């Protein structure tokens, strides 16, 4: 089993600001995933991180993975309203084959 | 057409009734999953299947059963629905440990 903890659970930020969402996990894993869910919608994949030190960027979002610290981060640069959504991280433990999800971070970007 | 299709989209039922949620996919993936989403709890795995003859319990399988009728079809049954099974249910597929592709979800309410 992999316990995945995200923080913060709720985040309200102003447009133009930067912020980071943290995802800590409980056991050895080098497979970490980030998903986005808009209200009333399904989840869509943002990033797949498959090795220590992996960094992926798409637009204003950048994800990284530090397997030694058991930590992944999702950094938001110059937030815009369209980024308002719930963000989930998920991981697969090295000894298993299931995806385990965090509880999600609900992000609201305020004009 | 959606790659992962869930039916129905919404269902209201009464305690004790048998309910089946269906999932079909056109992505050609071997792996299929059923998750439930509850507010504040993230996504929790109910059952997963890595091929037609492979069925595995997830974190919260009690009260649920599944059937993998074909590579493309994976159904979830609630034999005798109870109110605490009220939730948003997602089917997902993956190719190995690549990212998950989710269906649109089924909102189930058990009265």
């Amino acid at each position: 089993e992999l316990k995945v903890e995200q923080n913060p659970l709720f985040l309200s930020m102003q447009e133009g600001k930067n912020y980071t969402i943290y995802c800590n996990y409980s056991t050895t894993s080098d497979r970490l995933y980030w998903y986005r869910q808009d209200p009333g919608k399904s989840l869509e994949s943002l990033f797949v991180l498959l090795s220590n030190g992996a960094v992926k960027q798409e637009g204003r979002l950048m994800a990284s993975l530090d397997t030694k610290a058991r930590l992944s981060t999702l950094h938001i640069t110059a937030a815009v309203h369209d980024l308002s959504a719930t963000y989930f991280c998920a991981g697969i433990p090295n000894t298993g084959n299931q995806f385990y999800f965090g509880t999600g971070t609900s992000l609201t970007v305020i004009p | 057409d959606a790659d992962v299709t869930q039916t129905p989209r919404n269902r209201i039922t009464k305690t004790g009734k048998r309910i089946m949620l269906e999932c079909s996919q056109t992505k050609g993936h071997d792996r299929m999953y059923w998750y439930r989403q509850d507010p504040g709890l993230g996504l929790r795995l109910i059952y997963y299947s890595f091929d037609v003859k492979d069925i595995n319990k997830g974190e919260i399988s009690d009260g649920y059963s599944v059937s993998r009728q074909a590579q493309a079809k994976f159904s979830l049954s609630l034999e005798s629905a109870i109110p605490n099974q009220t939730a948003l249910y997602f089917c997902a597929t993956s190719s190995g440990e690549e990212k998950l592709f989710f269906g649109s979800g089924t909102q189930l309410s058990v009265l």
Side-chain angles (χ1 to χ4, degrees):
Chain A
E1 183 179 353
L2 186 73
K3 294 192 185 301
V4 180
E5 291 188 0
Q6 290 181 235
N7 70 84
L9 299 183
F10 298 94
L11 175 56
S12 180
M13 57 189 297
Q14 285 188 311
E15 279 190 336
K17 298 293 187 182
N18 304 332
Y19 208 83
T20 299
I21 299 171
Y22 297 88
C23 176
N24 292 275
Y25 53 94
S26 62
T27 190
T28 307
S29 171
D30 52 14
R31 294 163 287 179
L32 204 291
Y33 308 79
W34 286 94
Y35 293 87
R36 169 182 171 144
Q37 184 180 35
D38 291 308
K41 303 292 186 181
S42 187
L43 285 80
E44 62 176 302
S45 176
L46 291 175
F47 300 108
V48 179
L49 304 166
L50 298 179
S51 62
N52 184 41
V55 177
K56 297 278 184 74
Q57 182 162 6
E58 180 75 30
R60 299 175 187 274
L61 301 177
M62 183 174 70
S64 65
L65 177 61
D66 181 343
T67 59
K68 294 179 181 178
R70 298 180 184 170
L71 171 68
S72 181
T73 60
L74 181 65
H75 186 73
I76 303 156
T77 301
V80 293
H81 180 69
D82 285 353
L83 291 179
S84 297
T86 299
Y87 293 86
F88 292 93
C89 64
I92 301 177
N94 286 358
T95 55
N97 52 24
Q98 299 179 38
F99 290 80
Y100 291 90
F101 281 79
T103 54
T105 296
S106 177
L107 170 65
T108 302
V109 180
I110 302 168
Chain B
D1 289 341
D3 294 322
V4 184
T5 303
Q6 290 184 234
T7 57
R9 291 295 306 275
N10 292 280
R11 182 72 183 268
I12 300 173
T13 191
K14 294 182 179 181
T15 298
K17 294 292 188 181
R18 184 178 188 274
I19 295 295
M20 180 181 287
L21 309 183
E22 299 186 344
C23 177
S24 63
Q25 53 117 345
T26 58
K27 299 194 72 66
H29 290 165
D30 289 332
R31 300 186 179 192
M32 298 187 74
Y33 309 79
W34 276 103
Y35 287 90
R36 71 176 271 177
Q37 184 177 23
D38 298 277
L41 295 179
L43 276 77
R44 293 180 292 166
L45 183 61
I46 306 171
Y47 271 95
Y48 62 105
S49 169
F50 284 177
D51 67 38
V52 174
K53 296 182 180 179
D54 176 72
I55 300 290
N56 303 281
K57 293 183 176 180
E59 302 170 74
I60 54 164
S61 59
D62 287 349
Y64 301 94
S65 62
V66 291
S67 174
R68 185 82 183 264
Q69 299 97 323
Q71 187 201 34
K73 295 182 181 295
F74 191 38
S75 61
L76 175 71
S77 294
L78 288 68
E79 296 301 327
S80 180
I82 57 177
N84 76 2
Q85 291 178 312
T86 293
L88 181 58
Y89 290 84
F90 285 105
C91 175
T93 73
S94 72
S95 174
E97 291 169 357
E98 294 182 16
K99 60 188 178 183
L100 293 167
F101 291 84
F102 286 87
S104 299
T106 296
Q107 179 62 57
L108 176 65
S109 297
V110 183
L111 306 180

